[in-house]
Amino acid sequence: NWVMWNDRYVKEEEIMISIEDRGYQFGDGIYEVIRVYEGSLFTAQEHIDRFFASAEKIGIVVPFTKDVFHKRMYDLVEMNEVRTGQVYVQITRGAAPRAHQYPDSSVPAVITAYTKEVARPLTQFELGVAAKTIEDIRWLRCDIKSLNLLGNVMAKQEAIQANCFEAILHRGDRVTEGSSSNMYGVKDGIVYTHPVDNYILNGITRSVVKESCQRLRIPFVEEAMDLQDLSTMDEFFLTSTTAEITPIVEIDGNSVGSGRPGNITRQLQLAFEEKIALNEPS
Ligand code: PMP
């Protein structure tokens, strides 16, 4: 497989990353994961826009235009003949003698990207998963898709150790998002999810779901759920690029609604399938 290393495509073994790369030492960089269905990038422009937006928020200048960047992602998928999988791409503030402050702007950013095959988790879509509520101890700029994922990593680990698929993070009483997903509850036919602000990552899958709700006339209310209200929800689900729309059927050991994926979740999954089926080569 080919990997992208700044403006070159090389074999993975040829990549050399400095021990003083700021991504390695400080997590000083940002990333994206873009889905590939049937050899085509899915919602590529949205991911590219978010990549550039995250970089800008931390003062990293991407040394390509968005169009060139898009073409690079496209070429990588082609070269590696990815069918159903993903592209991971990250940019760091580059390598410089270790010091917290940003180095001189002449230090070039370091971009790497690689692809892999990743199957769609179809069984999970049908059966749903369990989740565990965990206090959200992350920083206050969760809108940035930062390489610094320690808070997310620790929350996911705690969930996995409790035999759960994902953590439902909450700041005090307010439910924010998952460790690597956005979270939604459904009550009396209304979908609730945290508003887009600094407490969550503005998920691309979230945007797709919001659009589907509008089209299907399902009320989509962007208000944080109260932790105490989780047990009263009829349905619950999470979204992410790789987990798509995954029903949550158990929270902290208690069944959600009937304990099976709900109707609205199903409708949104179907709408998502349709969007994948219409995915244009890009
Ligand atoms: N929140 C967090 C913290 C995430 O890591 C992710 C996965 N990228 C998401 C939400 C979902 O975003 P998306 O739908 O763009 O994958």
Side-chain angles (χ1 to χ4, degrees), residues 125-128 186 234-237 245 247-249 256-269:
F125 298 159
E126 290 308 310
L127 299 181
V186 184
D234 303 322
E235 304 180 30
F236 215 85
F237 62 93
I245 300 173
I248 292 176
V249 295
V256 178
S258 64
R260 284 198 307 264
N263 241 311
I264 296 217
T265 309
R266 285 284 186 228
Q267 282 184 59
L268 293 170
Q269 286 179 317

Coordinates of all heavy atoms in Angstrom, one line a residue, residues 125-128 186 234-237 245 247-249 256-269:
F125 N -25.4 -2.6 13.3 CA -26.6 -1.8 12.9 C -27.9 -2.5 13.2 O -28.9 -1.8 13.5 CB -26.6 -1.6 11.3 CG -25.3 -0.8 10.8 CD1 -25.0 -0.9 9.5 CD2 -24.6 0.0 11.7 CE1 -23.9 -0.2 9.0 CE2 -23.5 0.6 11.2 CZ -23.1 0.5 9.9
E126 N -27.9 -3.8 13.1 CA -29.1 -4.6 13.4 C -29.4 -4.8 14.8 O -30.6 -4.7 15.3 CB -29.0 -6.0 12.7 CG -29.1 -5.9 11.2 CD -30.2 -5.1 10.6 OE1 -31.4 -5.4 11.1 OE2 -30.0 -4.2 9.8
L127 N -28.4 -5.1 15.6 CA -28.6 -5.5 17.0 C -28.4 -4.4 18.0 O -29.0 -4.4 19.1 CB -27.6 -6.6 17.4 CG -27.7 -7.9 16.5 CD1 -26.6 -8.9 17.0 CD2 -29.1 -8.5 16.6
G128 N -27.7 -3.3 17.6 CA -27.4 -2.3 18.5 C -26.3 -2.6 19.5 O -25.7 -3.8 19.4
V186 N -34.1 9.7 21.5 CA -35.4 10.0 20.8 C -36.5 9.8 21.9 O -36.5 8.8 22.6 CB -35.7 9.0 19.7 CG1 -37.0 9.3 19.0 CG2 -34.5 8.9 18.7
D234 N -37.0 6.8 24.5 CA -37.6 5.6 23.8 C -36.5 4.9 22.9 O -36.5 3.7 22.7 CB -38.7 6.1 22.8 CG -39.8 6.9 23.6 OD1 -40.1 6.5 24.7 OD2 -40.3 7.9 23.0
E235 N -35.6 5.8 22.4 CA -34.5 5.2 21.5 C -33.3 6.0 21.8 O -33.3 7.1 22.3 CB -34.9 5.4 20.0 CG -36.2 4.8 19.6 CD -36.5 5.1 18.1 OE1 -35.5 5.2 17.3 OE2 -37.6 5.2 17.7
F236 N -32.1 5.4 21.4 CA -30.9 6.1 21.6 C -30.0 5.6 20.4 O -30.0 4.4 20.0 CB -30.2 5.7 22.9 CG -29.5 6.9 23.5 CD1 -30.1 7.9 24.3 CD2 -28.1 7.0 23.3 CE1 -29.4 8.9 24.8 CE2 -27.4 8.1 23.9 CZ -28.1 9.1 24.6
F237 N -29.1 6.5 19.9 CA -28.2 6.0 18.9 C -27.0 6.9 18.8 O -27.0 8.0 19.4 CB -28.8 5.9 17.5 CG -29.4 7.2 16.9 CD1 -28.6 8.0 16.1 CD2 -30.7 7.6 17.2 CE1 -29.1 9.1 15.5 CE2 -31.2 8.8 16.6 CZ -30.4 9.5 15.8
I245 N -24.8 4.9 11.7 CA -25.8 5.2 12.7 C -26.0 3.8 13.4 O -26.5 2.9 12.9 CB -27.2 5.6 12.0 CG1 -27.0 6.9 11.2 CG2 -28.3 5.7 13.0 CD1 -28.1 7.3 10.3
P247 N -27.5 1.9 16.7 CA -28.4 2.0 17.8 C -27.8 1.6 19.1 O -26.9 0.8 19.2 CB -29.5 0.9 17.5 CG -29.2 0.5 16.0 CD -27.8 0.8 15.7
I248 N -28.2 2.3 20.2 CA -27.7 2.0 21.5 C -28.9 1.4 22.2 O -30.0 2.1 22.3 CB -27.2 3.2 22.3 CG1 -25.9 3.6 21.6 CG2 -27.0 2.9 23.7 CD1 -25.2 4.9 22.1
V249 N -28.8 0.1 22.6 CA -30.0 -0.6 23.2 C -29.9 -0.8 24.7 O -30.8 -1.3 25.3 CB -30.3 -1.9 22.4 CG1 -30.6 -1.6 21.0 CG2 -29.0 -2.8 22.5
V256 N -32.8 0.3 26.7 CA -33.4 1.5 26.2 C -34.7 1.1 25.5 O -34.6 0.3 24.6 CB -32.4 2.2 25.2 CG1 -33.1 3.5 24.7 CG2 -31.1 2.6 25.9
G257 N -35.8 1.7 25.9 CA -37.1 1.4 25.3 C -37.3 -0.1 25.4 O -37.2 -0.7 26.5
S258 N -37.6 -0.7 24.2 CA -37.9 -2.1 24.2 C -36.6 -3.0 24.3 O -36.7 -4.2 24.3 CB -38.6 -2.4 22.8 OG -37.6 -2.1 21.8
G259 N -35.5 -2.3 24.2 CA -34.2 -3.1 24.2 C -33.8 -3.5 22.8 O -32.8 -4.2 22.6
R260 N -34.6 -3.0 21.8 CA -34.2 -3.2 20.4 C -34.2 -1.9 19.7 O -34.8 -0.9 20.1 CB -35.3 -4.1 19.8 CG -35.1 -5.6 20.2 CD -35.9 -6.5 19.2 NE -37.2 -6.1 19.0 CZ -38.3 -6.6 19.7 NH1 -38.1 -7.6 20.5 NH2 -39.5 -6.1 19.5
P261 N -33.4 -1.8 18.6 CA -33.3 -0.6 17.8 C -34.7 0.0 17.5 O -35.6 -0.8 17.1 CB -32.6 -1.0 16.5 CG -31.8 -2.2 17.0 CD -32.6 -2.9 18.0
G262 N -34.9 1.3 17.7 CA -36.2 1.9 17.5 C -36.5 2.3 16.1 O -35.7 2.2 15.2
N263 N -37.8 2.7 15.9 CA -38.3 3.0 14.6 C -37.7 4.2 13.9 O -37.3 4.2 12.7 CB -39.8 3.4 14.8 CG -40.7 2.5 14.0 OD1 -40.4 2.3 12.8 ND2 -41.7 1.9 14.7
I264 N -37.5 5.3 14.7 CA -36.8 6.5 14.1 C -35.4 6.2 13.8 O -34.9 6.6 12.7 CB -37.0 7.6 15.1 CG1 -38.5 7.9 15.3 CG2 -36.1 8.8 14.7 CD1 -38.9 9.3 15.4
T265 N -34.7 5.4 14.6 CA -33.3 5.0 14.3 C -33.3 4.3 13.0 O -32.4 4.5 12.1 CB -32.8 4.2 15.5 OG1 -33.0 4.8 16.7 CG2 -31.3 3.9 15.3
R266 N -34.2 3.3 12.8 CA -34.3 2.5 11.6 C -34.6 3.4 10.4 O -33.9 3.2 9.3 CB -35.5 1.6 11.7 CG -35.2 0.4 12.6 CD -34.3 -0.6 11.9 NE -34.2 -1.8 12.6 CZ -33.0 -2.4 12.9 NH1 -31.9 -1.8 12.4 NH2 -32.9 -3.5 13.5
Q267 N -35.5 4.4 10.5 CA -35.7 5.3 9.4 C -34.5 6.1 9.0 O -34.2 6.2 7.8 CB -36.8 6.3 9.8 CG -38.2 5.8 9.8 CD -39.2 7.0 10.1 OE1 -39.2 8.0 9.4 NE2 -39.9 6.9 11.2
L268 N -33.7 6.5 10.0 CA -32.5 7.3 9.7 C -31.4 6.4 9.1 O -30.7 6.8 8.2 CB -32.0 8.0 11.0 CG -33.0 9.1 11.5 CD1 -32.6 9.6 12.9 CD2 -33.0 10.3 10.5
Q269 N -31.4 5.1 9.5 CA -30.4 4.2 8.9 C -30.8 4.0 7.5 O -29.9 3.9 6.6 CB -30.5 2.8 9.7 CG -29.8 2.9 11.0 CD -29.9 1.5 11.7 OE1 -31.0 0.9 11.7 NE2 -28.8 1.1 12.4

